[in-house]
């Protein structure tokens, strides 16, 4: 009997551990995926761009035939298309959003023209301005290099859009309505204001970089800086680790992740020997999401393609790995955080580089690779607190932007007194009748049911009865008086 009890205890403990691990693994839930075709180009950096917008994402894909075309699509968090548009003979290099408008740097190959387009939330073009020459000559290089670091070339700050040109030591600033454009000398304060990740990343690199550690992705949030990179016993060419047309490093490499404060002081750093490099580290809510690359096979010839595997890695703020999404033979690229979670681009098959040199008047591309946009969202919890006797029908989990419907049911002898809905910071969430919109946080729904007051009911019944009796007696008396007078 004792042995049976011991075995039962061990089994219960085993399943408890399994359940706790599975619960921890469900930090993010898979939302949706859409299949699309796009082109990878210019040294392995894709001209596919995704930005968080309103309650979803805007995604642009460059398609190459005799001339390129870019398809821009707006999706909600469930992957349903809300709007789309196609820009013929054009390439979209970068996008950003302010309020309910989307801004995109667009290159028109026929007119050899770089412009800034403004779209509404239905993807109708509402305005356009031509970008100055000193910005034009810099867009290709800056878009590619900043994407490698996980930084958007179009910076937004205080209802303004900014484009930096380090070659000319200038920054070009446009207000959101295209009514005012200014060009300023590039200063430390302007970089700090418009490109904080670049500014604080420079501090980090100067203070922490050594000969054999290289950090190549930056994200800045609330005075903290996260960066992913590579360590090696020898100096390496970073690009050789993830560019299709280059040989891989001739020495062993280890992926590394580091969290620092905005003064460049190290909070923690961790190495991951199973990955050759960790890139595109981003803050997502209270987690850190990054991509780990593992080299499977090194090419023998210079023009051959290295074989990689990549995984999505999700860490807590202490650097502990809480979930891993294995990509197997796919390559993950470009994480885009939002209030709901994040999207990530995933290529399938083998993608070769494409020359996007705008000087070429015409291109004929007969190959492409498949790219999928995947979204992972944070489940938000809805907790209920009930006073009195009754219940409330409501979902226990939702995602940001969902419309939540609830029904309160008091028990017999009770009535609904009040309902209060608050977010995790205690802010009151307004509701209309029995519906509210889920915020980007957990929610507490407090319901109060009160008993019907029997004393009040009896008094009211007694009072009405007395009044009826008095009224009836008065009627009889008055009737008799009237009859007597006759």
């Amino acid at each position: 009997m004792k042995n049976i009890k011991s075995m039962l205890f061990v089994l219960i403990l085993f399943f408890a551990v399994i359940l706790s691990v599975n619960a921890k693994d469900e930090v993010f839930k898979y939302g949706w995926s859409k299949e699309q075709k796009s082109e990878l180009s210019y040294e392995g950096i894709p001209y596919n761009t995704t930005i968080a917008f309103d309650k979803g994402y805007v995604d642009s894909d460059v398609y190459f035939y005799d001339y390129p075309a870019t398809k821009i699509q707006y999706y909600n968090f469930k992957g349903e298309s809300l709007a789309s548009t196609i820009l013929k003979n054009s390439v979209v290099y970068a996008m950003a959003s302010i309020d309910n408008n989307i801004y995109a740097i667009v290159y028109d190959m026929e007119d050899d023209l770089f412009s800034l387009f403004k779209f509404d939330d239905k993807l109708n073009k509402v305005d356009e301005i031509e970008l100055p020459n000193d910005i034009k000559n810099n867009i290709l290089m800056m878009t590619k290099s900043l994407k490698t670091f996980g930084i958007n070339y179009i910076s937004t700050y205080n209802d303004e859009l900014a484009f930096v040109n380090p070659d000319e030591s200038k920054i070009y600033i446009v207000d959101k309505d295209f009514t005012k454009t200014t060009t300023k000398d590039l200063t430390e304060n302007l970089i700090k204001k418009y490109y904080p990740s670049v500014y604080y990343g420079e501090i980090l690199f100067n203070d922490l970089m050594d000969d054999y550690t290289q950090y190549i992705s930056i994200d800045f949030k609330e005075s903290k800086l996260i960066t992913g990179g590579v360590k090696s016993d020898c100096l390496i060419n970073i690009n050789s680790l993830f560019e299709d047309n280059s040989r891989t490093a001739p020495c062993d490499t280890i992926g590394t992740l580091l969290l620092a404060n905005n003064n460049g002081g190290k909070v923690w750093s961790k190495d991951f020997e199973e990955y050759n490099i960790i890139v595109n580290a981003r803050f997502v809510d209270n987690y850190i999401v990054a991509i780990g690359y593992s080299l499977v096979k090194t090419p023998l010839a210079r023009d051959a393609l290295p074989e990689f595997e990549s995984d999505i890695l999700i860490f807590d703020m202490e650097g502990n790995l809480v979930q891993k999404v294995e990509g197997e033979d796919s390559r993950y690229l470009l994480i885009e955080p939002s209030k709901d979670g994040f999207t990530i681009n995933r290529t399938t098959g083998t993608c070769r580089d494409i020359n996007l040199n705008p000087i070429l008047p015409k291109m004929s591309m007969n190959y492409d690779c498949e790219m999928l946009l995947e979204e992972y969202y944070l489940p938000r919890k809805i907790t209920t607190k009930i006073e009195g006797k009754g219940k409330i029908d409501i979902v226990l989990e939702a995602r940001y932007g969902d419309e939540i419907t609830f029904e309160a049911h008091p028990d017999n002898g009770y009535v609904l007194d009040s309902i209060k809905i608050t977010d995790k910071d205690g802010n009151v969430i307004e509701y209309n009748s029995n519906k509210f919109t889920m915020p980007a946080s957990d929610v507490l729904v407090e319901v109060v049911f009160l008993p019907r007051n029997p004393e009040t009911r009896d008094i009211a019944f007694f009072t009405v009865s007395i009044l009826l009796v008095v009224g009836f007696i008065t009627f009889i008396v008055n009737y008799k008086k009237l009859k007597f007078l006759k």
Side-chain angles (χ1 to χ4, degrees):
M1 191 70 178
K2 232 178 198 181
N3 290 337
I4 293 173
K5 285 183 178 178
S6 299
M7 289 175 66
L8 283 172
F9 176 76
V10 170
L11 281 172
I12 291 169
L13 184 63
F14 172 76
F15 282 111
V17 171
I18 293 296
L19 287 172
S20 67
V21 170
N22 286 340
K24 195 174 185 182
D25 196 51
E26 289 298 322
V27 175
F28 286 84
K29 288 192 175 180
Y30 181 68
W32 55 270
S33 67
K34 75 177 182 68
E35 192 171 308
Q36 62 194 20
K37 289 201 172 181
S38 183
E39 299 288 351
L40 288 188
S41 51
Y42 197 70
E43 299 184 10
I45 304 302
Y47 279 92
N48 164 278
T49 302
T50 307
I51 60 168
F53 179 69
D54 193 21
K55 295 175 182 177
Y57 297 88
V58 176
D59 180 67
S60 72
D61 292 299
V62 179
Y63 295 76
F64 281 84
Y65 303 103
D66 287 338
Y67 278 89
T70 297
K71 186 174 185 180
I72 305 176
Q73 299 183 89
Y74 176 27
Y75 296 92
N76 64 15
F77 287 137
K78 296 179 181 178
E80 300 162 339
S81 180
L82 303 179
S84 66
T85 189
I86 293 178
L87 305 179
K88 294 181 178 179
N89 303 322
S90 300
V91 175
V92 170
Y93 284 89
M95 295 191 299
S97 67
I98 298 177
D99 297 333
N100 291 320
N101 294 309
I102 302 153
Y103 300 84
I105 295 177
V106 180
Y107 175 67
D108 188 314
M109 293 197 69
E110 284 192 331
D111 297 332
D112 188 21
L113 184 69
F114 277 101
S115 301
L116 182 64
F117 282 19
K118 179 180 179 179
F119 299 93
D120 61 18
D121 58 359
K122 298 289 188 288
L123 292 181
N124 299 309
K125 188 175 78 170
V126 295
D127 210 346
E128 173 186 355
I129 59 169
E130 185 179 348
L131 295 175
N133 288 328
D134 59 337
I135 295 294
K136 287 181 191 177
N137 299 332
N138 203 51
I139 286 173
L140 189 66
M141 179 197 71
M142 289 301 297
T143 302
K144 179 248 178 182
S145 60
L146 288 180
K147 270 191 177 182
T148 303
F149 280 88
I151 299 169
N152 194 351
Y153 176 55
I154 305 179
S155 168
T156 58
Y157 174 81
N158 196 27
D159 290 344
E160 293 179 332
L161 299 104
F163 315 91
V164 67
N165 185 355
D167 291 342
E168 302 292 333
S169 297
K170 300 287 183 184
I171 189 167
Y172 181 64
I173 302 169
V174 184
D175 72 302
K176 66 175 183 177
D177 298 319
F178 291 177
T179 58
K180 183 182 178 182
T181 61
T182 54
T183 302
K184 296 183 178 181
D185 291 331
L186 194 60
T187 65
E188 186 174 314
N189 285 336
L190 286 176
I191 296 174
K192 185 177 180 180
K193 181 189 292 186
Y194 290 101
Y195 293 91
S197 294
V198 175
Y199 175 80
Y200 293 114
E202 184 69 19
I203 295 174
L204 173 73
F205 293 166
N206 289 338
D207 290 351
L208 299 177
M209 186 80 77
D210 59 47
D211 289 342
Y212 304 123
T213 303
Q214 293 167 274
Y215 303 108
I216 62 165
S217 65
I218 310 168
D219 197 20
F220 176 74
K221 177 185 177 183
E222 297 173 355
S223 300
K224 283 193 167 49
L225 205 70
I226 188 69
T227 182
V230 61
K231 283 188 175 182
S232 174
D233 290 335
C234 61
L235 292 175
I236 63 170
N237 173 15
I238 289 292
N239 290 335
S240 69
L241 286 171
F242 53 90
E243 286 182 2
D244 283 340
N245 61 352
S246 302
R247 287 184 61 83
T248 54
C251 52
D252 293 333
T253 62
I254 296 174
T256 186
L257 194 69
L258 180 142
L259 183 73
N261 58 36
N262 61 355
N263 294 319
K266 183 166 66 174
V267 178
W268 53 257
S269 65
K270 296 192 175 182
D271 298 336
F272 302 87
E273 294 186 1
E274 63 268 40
Y275 297 105
N276 294 97
I277 190 169
I278 292 179
V279 297
N280 214 219
R282 308 296 298 272
F283 289 108
V284 178
D285 203 79
N286 293 317
Y287 298 92
I288 296 163
V289 182
I291 304 169
Y293 273 87
S294 300
L295 178 64
V296 177
K297 184 179 179 182
T298 303
L300 299 175
R302 181 174 179 78
D303 59 348
L305 301 180
E307 293 182 17
F308 284 98
E309 288 182 356
S310 63
D311 299 330
I312 303 172
L313 308 175
I314 301 169
F315 305 88
D316 61 21
M317 294 302 291
E318 285 72 47
N320 302 307
L321 184 65
V322 296
Q323 187 178 358
K324 178 169 70 172
V325 180
E326 295 184 355
E328 298 178 349
D329 296 331
S330 301
R331 293 176 62 186
Y332 287 111
L333 302 152
L334 303 179
I335 298 166
E336 174 61 27
S338 76
K339 290 182 179 179
D340 186 68
F342 67 93
T343 59
I344 191 166
N345 300 122
R346 178 164 69 91
T347 63
T348 61
T350 300
C351 303
R352 294 302 302 268
D353 294 342
I354 296 168
N355 185 2
L356 269 185
N357 190 337
I359 297 174
L360 296 176
K362 189 173 182 180
M363 295 183 295
S364 180
M365 301 295 175
N366 298 318
Y367 54 87
D368 61 8
C369 64
E370 201 170 51
M371 182 176 285
L372 285 79
L373 183 67
E374 296 183 349
E375 189 222 359
Y376 296 80
Y377 72 94
L378 276 165
R380 312 291 180 174
K381 292 182 175 58
I382 298 176
T383 304
T384 58
K385 181 180 178 183
I386 296 176
E387 290 186 26
K389 292 186 178 180
K391 66 177 183 177
I392 182 169
D393 293 333
I394 191 170
V395 295
L396 300 180
E397 191 176 275
R399 58 195 301 163
Y400 168 72
D402 281 352
E403 184 179 70
I404 308 301
T405 302
F406 58 88
E407 295 288 345
H409 304 285
D411 287 355
N412 290 334
Y414 282 78
V415 294
L416 175 64
D417 178 63
S418 65
I419 295 177
K420 183 181 179 182
I421 306 172
T422 53
D423 65 14
K424 67 177 182 180
D425 298 319
N427 300 313
V428 175
I429 299 168
E430 300 295 330
Y431 63 91
N432 183 15
S433 181
N434 65 334
K435 295 180 180 180
F436 69 92
T437 302
M438 193 70 183
S441 78
D442 294 342
V443 160
L444 173 64
V445 180
E446 298 175 275
V447 187
V448 177
F449 297 106
L450 291 179
R452 297 182 189 275
N453 193 329
E455 294 179 1
T456 303
R457 183 182 62 188
D458 292 344
I459 290 169
F461 178 76
F462 180 74
T463 302
V464 170
S465 300
I466 292 296
L467 289 174
L468 287 172
V469 170
V470 170
F472 180 73
I473 293 172
T474 303
F475 173 76
I476 295 296
V477 170
N478 289 335
Y479 177 77
K480 286 183 178 181
K481 283 182 179 180
L482 290 171
K483 201 168 184 182
F484 173 76
L485 289 174
K486 287 181 179 179

